[in-house]
Amino acid sequence: MGAIVEIQRDLAAHNIDGLLIETGINLRYVSGFTGTSGALLLTKTAAFFVTDFRYTEQAKAEVSGCEFVWQKGALASEVANLVKKLAIKRLGFEKARLTYETYETYQQLLPEVTLVPVADVVETHRLVKTDAELVIMQKAADIADAAFAHIQGFIRPGVTELAVANELEFFMRKQGATSSSFDMIVASGVRGALPHGVASEKEIQAGELVTLDYGAYYQGYCSDMTRTLAVGPVSDQLRNIYETVRVAQQLGMDGTKAGITGQEADRLTRDYIEEKGYGAYFGHSTGHGLGMEVHEAPALSSKSTDVVLRPGMVVTIEPGIYVPNVGGVRIEDDIVITDEGNRSLTKSPKTLIELDV
């Protein structure tokens, strides 16, 4: 209910008298609906939730603060009829999320209505998490931490990266996760130089580093954690790379706080990696926002000059070094910005773990 009222107050600023929300993540955030077919139509003073027979009981249980409209035909047709009934003349839609095909459908159904693309109306409210959201996100992080402790007893020479990913998935589901937050990255040996090295059939070998980037999707929210560990002793070069990333990541953890820009947060890790001579091997941003989606605003990157961090924002701190034909290291934590600095949601150790082989 709170999100509905807050967004209704924003309509005038966008010069619209109605807003249509159809896409899953935003629909869930604003209304609480977890089904796969529905629409929320907001005016400045009213809210209407539209769905079909399959979801009537679910919508009644999950959605509050709305008048229900039970569709009899296509969803777009029912929404269009409602727009006409309410005499909406300027209808806003989610610019970055509505498909062009659906946009064309509404153009045909509502020829007298001006369709107005609006950006980040809902996403702006999602930037700062409520206490209730942070409780859920802490649980998602706790599941990821528990999975890291568990997987250390599973990884050994001869086990495939895919088997490791599957074991992480199964374990997190047993702890209450709906699923993993994204396709897990399990990158061993020279594949560690692939920042997005999704788990493959490669067998893990002794003397390799293994990077695990994964998260738990829990009650609609994501965690996103990366740890790199050693399968037995590794070379001095790999140890040096690891230590460089560890120190850089800790600098990011120590210095990221309210009032700095995303660019300034990015420099906290990047400057140290460049100082150590690995700048050319750190090609992605230091971090990103986290919440209902695994990648959302704000970005902690060299381009984020207009983003100022605020208490309640949740971001990742994840520098990495990736050297072709050698391997790579990434370490990542999820933090919530506080009035005092930040608090880490993920708590797994970051000293280099060397598994017995």
Side-chain angles (χ1 to χ4, degrees):
M1 182 64 177
I4 289 176
V5 173
E6 290 177 359
I7 292 169
Q8 285 174 321
R9 293 171 182 155
D10 294 340
L11 300 190
H14 292 276
N15 192 25
I16 55 176
D17 45 20
L19 175 66
L20 175 63
I21 301 171
E22 276 195 13
T23 54
I25 295 293
N26 283 343
L27 192 63
R28 180 170 185 170
Y29 177 80
V30 180
S31 72
F33 182 66
T34 63
T36 59
S37 180
L40 182 65
L41 181 64
L42 301 180
T43 69
K44 294 173 185 176
T45 58
F48 300 87
F49 190 86
V50 185
T51 193
D52 62 58
F53 174 81
R54 296 170 298 169
Y55 297 105
T56 53
E57 295 306 311
Q58 181 177 344
K60 289 176 186 178
E62 294 179 339
V63 178
S64 62
C66 296
E67 181 179 332
F68 292 108
V69 178
W70 309 121
Q71 72 185 77
K72 298 177 178 62
L75 180 63
S77 297
E78 202 70 62
V79 170
N81 291 337
L82 188 56
V83 169
K84 293 173 186 176
K85 179 181 177 181
L86 296 169
I88 292 172
K89 297 302 179 184
R90 291 180 60 81
L91 177 65
F93 67 90
E94 300 165 281
K95 175 181 178 180
R97 296 177 183 267
L98 197 73
T99 67
Y100 186 68
E101 180 181 25
T102 304
Y103 170 78
E104 284 188 315
T105 298
Y106 281 118
Q107 275 192 319
Q108 295 167 4
L109 292 171
L110 297 167
E112 304 302 319
V113 174
T114 300
L115 299 178
V116 182
V118 294
D120 299 333
V121 177
V122 179
E123 288 83 353
T124 296
H125 292 279
R126 285 171 48 194
L127 275 171
V128 175
K129 275 56 179 180
T130 64
D131 289 344
E133 288 178 293
L134 291 174
V135 169
I136 296 172
M137 294 192 71
Q138 181 63 71
K139 178 61 177 178
D142 291 345
I143 293 172
D145 277 330
F148 182 63
H150 169 77
I151 206 66
Q152 293 173 44
F154 183 84
I155 296 174
R156 61 186 182 275
V159 172
T160 67
E161 295 172 345
L162 189 58
V164 172
N166 288 338
E167 183 67 18
L168 283 168
E169 175 87 25
F170 298 152
F171 180 86
M172 290 192 296
R173 285 177 181 255
K174 289 177 182 177
Q175 304 306 305
T178 303
S179 65
S180 55
S181 300
F182 52 93
D183 287 341
M184 291 184 207
I185 294 167
V186 180
S188 60
V190 296
R191 291 193 75 251
L194 303 174
H196 277 190
V198 174
S200 73
E201 292 287 358
K202 177 189 175 298
E203 293 185 355
I204 294 169
Q205 303 297 324
E208 293 182 335
L209 293 178
V210 182
T211 296
L212 310 169
D213 186 346
Y214 64 96
Y217 183 63
Y218 176 77
Q219 293 187 5
Y221 288 81
C222 302
S223 57
D224 182 9
M225 182 178 107
T226 307
R227 290 295 186 269
T228 302
L229 47 75
V231 183
V234 295
S235 68
D236 290 343
Q237 182 184 15
L238 290 175
R239 286 182 178 277
N240 179 261
I241 291 171
Y242 186 94
E243 186 62 12
T244 300
V245 173
R246 188 196 64 77
V247 173
Q249 202 264 351
Q250 192 59 52
L251 289 169
M253 296 287 287
D254 292 342
T256 301
K257 59 185 178 181
I260 69 171
T261 65
Q263 183 186 67
E264 289 170 327
D266 181 72
R267 294 304 327 172
L268 293 170
T269 67
R270 194 170 306 279
D271 285 350
Y272 182 79
I273 289 175
E274 289 177 349
E275 175 189 323
K276 293 299 181 179
Y278 288 107
Y281 303 106
F282 177 25
H284 58 74
S285 62
T286 286
H288 55 81
L290 184 70
M292 299 185 81
E293 294 175 287
V294 74
H295 288 97
E296 55 184 51
L300 308 187
S301 77
S302 59
K303 298 178 182 179
S304 300
T305 57
D306 58 345
V307 176
V308 178
L309 299 182
R310 289 182 284 155
M313 290 181 172
V314 177
V315 296
T316 66
I317 305 295
E318 53 177 304
I321 294 173
Y322 315 92
V323 182
N325 300 314
V326 174
V329 173
R330 180 165 64 254
I331 301 172
E332 174 185 21
D333 283 303
D334 307 335
I335 64 171
V336 55
I337 305 300
T338 66
D339 291 326
E340 295 76 27
N342 71 68
R343 172 171 59 86
S344 186
L345 300 178
T346 44
K347 300 176 175 64
S348 293
K350 288 178 281 192
T351 52
L352 180 60
I353 294 171
E354 185 179 295
L355 303 178
D356 294 331
V357 292

